[in-house]
Amino acid sequence: MKSDRLLAILLLLQTRGRVPAGELAERLEVSARTVYRDIESLSAAGVPVYAERGRHGGIALLPGFRTDVTGLTTDEARALFILATQGAHTALGLDDALGSALRKVMAALPAPHRPAAELASRRILVDPDRWRGGPRPTVDLGVLHTAVFTDRRLRIRYRHSGETRLRTYTVDPYGLVAKAGTWYLVADRRGGPRLFRADRVASATVTDAPVRRREGVELAGVWELLRRRVEERPAGVRVTARIRRDRLDLAVRLLGGALTGAPPAADDVPGGAGKGDGPDASDDAWATVQLTYPVLGAVRQLLQFGDSVEVLAPPEARQVMAEGATAVTRLYAADGTGP
């Protein structure tokens, strides 16, 4: 397009100074006559460009002329250099490309914007991973990436959560999504939207068949639908528990998404089961929290806090905790070291 060519000529002249018309024509893959017509268009638009003939001639801008051809404001330039952790780029094999792109953007920025952009990259870092999230499995996105960008169907062997056996699916990918450090493949299976965690894909093969996406449907729309499905699932098992305040900060970090509300300023559950039985029965020493688990047995997560956590309700959850504590006691008593 002519507009792209005019912008390319302007960038070259700003970075190179005087450039022979033949070199411009070669770089832009057009004739020298086309280059001269483009120069006339730039001049008519108010750009002070001129041509010098002779052995050392060429096309150049008047000395001192600079223009912000990027159109970026200071805030926009700063935003480009506030980057998330490079994990996403590493997974896609784009670390080198990212560094190269940022160098090019920095070179094209107007001089007044460069200090702000450089400072932003040194002062702001976004890390999407949770504290104590544990090591993440290595994910090879190469085959998934290839299927997405070549518009081919994908055959995967996949392990669902809570299962040990692998299932085989043929899917039509829309794209890849990184959420909180976890990669997902968004695809249709048999015409319906599905979500697959990339770290549960045991193997993947790009087929020769072209992808069969639903007409007019894009990645962003499918992701929004699937995201809402996950967030609007039935509540599961609601659990009320109290936690010693000196362990509250640690509990909030470790319990993560199980917490369904902020801890109150004081224990406000009167007459809770077992209340007053512990070594420190002061209400001020405890905080009440609400948690939600997908299944009742998952409440055993709270056993890691020992006697610093007490489940108050429902009774079924208290029973699960009691059985879990008894099983741990028997385990250690079996070798003679327990009580």
Side-chain angles (χ1 to χ4, degrees):
M1 294 177 60
K2 182 175 180 179
S3 58
D4 294 335
R5 202 167 60 243
L6 295 178
L7 179 59
I9 291 174
L10 191 52
L11 282 171
L12 285 168
L13 296 180
Q14 285 194 169
T15 56
R16 294 277 309 280
R18 183 179 290 105
V19 182
E23 182 178 338
L24 286 174
E26 183 179 353
R27 282 175 171 266
L28 301 174
E29 298 181 346
V30 295
S31 66
R33 180 177 298 180
T34 299
V35 169
Y36 282 115
R37 284 201 299 265
D38 289 343
I39 296 304
E40 291 177 1
S41 298
L42 287 172
S43 180
V47 177
V49 60
Y50 66 96
E52 287 187 350
R53 299 186 180 280
R55 182 179 178 182
H56 300 291
I59 298 170
L61 297 168
L62 286 179
F65 175 79
R66 299 289 295 179
T67 183
D68 178 9
V69 294
T70 66
L72 293 174
T73 66
T74 301
D75 285 344
E76 289 170 341
R78 185 183 295 119
L80 285 175
F81 288 83
I82 298 178
L83 299 178
T85 182
Q86 293 187 350
H89 305 99
T90 301
L92 294 173
L94 295 176
D95 273 348
D96 292 341
L98 173 67
S100 175
L102 290 179
R103 287 192 295 271
K104 291 177 180 178
V105 171
M106 183 64 77
L109 284 178
H113 293 353
R114 292 175 189 170
E118 291 176 347
L119 184 62
S121 68
R122 296 198 306 268
R123 296 290 184 266
I124 305 294
L125 176 66
V126 179
D127 186 341
D129 293 334
R130 293 179 179 273
W131 290 112
R132 299 178 180 269
R136 294 185 179 276
T138 302
V139 179
D140 182 5
L141 297 176
V143 178
L144 306 185
H145 183 272
T146 298
V148 166
F149 282 93
T150 59
D151 292 331
R152 296 291 174 181
R153 305 193 88 191
L154 191 65
R155 185 175 296 108
I156 62 174
R157 297 177 68 234
Y158 187 76
R159 180 186 61 81
H160 289 278
S161 176
E163 295 186 4
T164 57
R165 72 185 185 94
L166 297 174
R167 299 175 183 264
T168 301
Y169 301 120
T170 298
V171 299
D172 298 290
Y174 286 93
L176 296 166
V177 175
K179 182 173 177 61
T182 300
W183 282 97
Y184 295 89
L185 171 68
V186 177
D188 274 354
R189 177 174 177 264
R190 296 180 177 175
R194 295 285 299 272
L195 194 61
F196 301 92
R197 273 186 60 145
D199 57 10
R200 292 186 188 144
V201 176
S203 64
T205 304
V206 179
T207 72
D208 294 330
V211 72
R212 303 174 187 173
R213 300 189 185 107
R214 286 167 286 146
E215 186 176 355
V217 178
E218 297 291 340
L219 171 62
V222 182
W223 169 252
E224 180 63 19
L225 173 65
L226 294 170
R227 184 187 62 79
R228 287 202 308 267
R229 284 184 183 178
V230 172
E231 294 177 353
E232 295 172 3
R233 282 175 180 169
V237 181
R238 296 184 181 274
V239 174
T240 301
R242 63 174 188 156
I243 301 177
R244 290 187 183 275
R245 290 194 176 278
D246 58 2
R247 304 283 283 176
L248 187 57
D249 287 344
L250 176 63
V252 169
R253 291 199 300 272
L254 295 183
L255 296 176
L259 288 169
T260 55
D267 193 337
D268 59 1
V269 178
K275 192 164 181 149
D277 297 335
D280 184 352
S282 170
D283 284 353
D284 292 338
W286 298 83
T288 300
V289 296
Q290 303 296 326
L291 306 106
T292 301
Y293 288 104
V295 294
L296 185 61
V299 74
R300 292 183 180 180
Q301 177 192 32
L302 300 177
L303 287 171
Q304 65 184 304
F305 297 100
D307 62 358
S308 294
V309 170
E310 179 189 7
V311 170
L312 305 176
E316 297 85 353
R318 288 179 58 83
Q319 181 63 32
V320 169
M321 290 290 287
E323 292 172 355
T326 299
V328 171
T329 300
R330 288 175 178 167
L331 175 67
Y332 287 99
D335 61 3
T337 60

